[in-house]
Amino acid sequence: MGYLGLPVADGEVEAPGEPLTVTATGQQWFGPELSTRLGRLSSPVNRGLPRTRPDPGHWALVSGAGADFIGAYRFNGWGGLWRIGGFNPNPEVVLPAMVAVAEHLATQPPEPVQPGGIAYLWHATVIP
């Protein structure tokens, strides 16, 4: 992740669960019923998606106390790398959240591109 310039928090592998918050974006994507249900749960957030620098393309749908838990790096608005920020995440959170993410992405028009000044990996050269 460091090679791509993406921040990843660190933490104890066996970290205890912490209360979760559904972000404003998450509430739009999940709707009120799922947002309320997820907001009552907890999960380890020991490899979160911290915001260490401005990144207009970073989606955060569910956050823990110190870092985003479920979100995506948008690579300056082109595509997304989805991450769940924890070892041993609570399946009662992750499974319905990621189903809702897939449904949202499949049924909504693409989000507008938000170019930023972050340099991400855009191409690679393959040498056989």
Side-chain angles (χ1 to χ4, degrees):
M1 297 300 275
Y3 183 74
L4 294 174
L6 301 174
V8 177
D10 60 353
E12 296 294 323
V13 172
E14 298 296 329
E18 57 185 74
L20 300 174
T21 303
V22 178
T23 66
T25 302
Q27 291 174 17
Q28 291 173 353
W29 285 43
F30 299 150
E33 183 179 327
L34 181 56
S35 295
T36 300
R37 186 169 46 144
L38 296 178
R40 292 183 183 140
L41 298 173
S42 63
S43 183
V45 183
N46 48 5
R47 294 291 187 268
L49 295 79
R51 293 179 181 267
T52 57
R53 57 184 173 201
D55 184 356
H58 177 131
W59 278 324
L61 304 181
V62 179
S63 293
D68 295 330
F69 177 55
I70 297 175
Y73 302 105
R74 287 203 58 212
F75 296 109
N76 283 331
W78 299 97
L81 175 62
W82 286 92
R83 285 200 56 241
I84 298 167
F87 288 124
N88 304 315
N90 182 345
E92 292 181 41
V93 176
V94 173
L95 295 175
M98 295 314 295
V99 168
V101 165
E103 287 176 356
H104 178 85
L105 292 172
T107 61
Q108 301 300 312
E111 296 284 330
V113 174
Q114 298 177 352
I118 310 258
Y120 292 114
L121 176 68
W122 287 94
H123 68 279
T125 303
V126 177
I127 300 172

